[in-house]
Amino acid sequence: MIKNRVKELRARFDITQGELADLVGVTRQTIVALEKGSYTPSLLLAMNLAEVFKLPIEEIFSKEES
C-alpha cells in the first residue's frame, strides 16, 4: 500500500482540491480519492504532484509497512 502527504502539502500550499486537480491534469474526484488513500497514482501523476509541490516523489509518497 502507498501512503501519501498530498492533503497535508495541499493545505500547506493553500491550494484547493480543484486547483490542484487543474494543475496536475486530473479531476477533483481523483485528488479526493488520492487523499483518502483509495487511489494509487500513476507515475506521471506522482511526477506532476512532485513538480507542483517542488519536492522529490519520495517526500510525497512512501510504502506503507505491512
Side-chain angles (χ1 to χ4, degrees):
M1 182 123 204
I2 295 178
K3 292 191 321 185
N4 72 72
R5 298 175 51 216
V6 173
K7 187 172 185 174
E8 168 200 337
L9 293 167
R10 186 176 57 74
R12 184 185 305 166
F13 281 72
D14 196 30
I15 302 172
T16 67
Q17 289 174 330
E19 290 168 338
L20 182 57
D22 288 342
L23 288 170
V24 297
V26 297
T27 65
R28 188 184 67 79
Q29 289 80 6
T30 299
I31 300 299
V32 170
L34 187 60
E35 289 182 357
K36 286 175 26 179
S38 61
Y39 179 78
T40 301
S42 66
L43 180 56
L44 179 59
L45 176 53
M47 292 172 84
N48 288 341
L49 288 164
E51 209 170 83
V52 168
F53 295 131
K54 297 178 178 34
L55 291 170
I57 291 174
E58 295 85 357
E59 289 189 29
I60 302 170
F61 298 94
S62 60
K63 263 181 26 178
E64 198 167 67
E65 301 299 321
S66 30

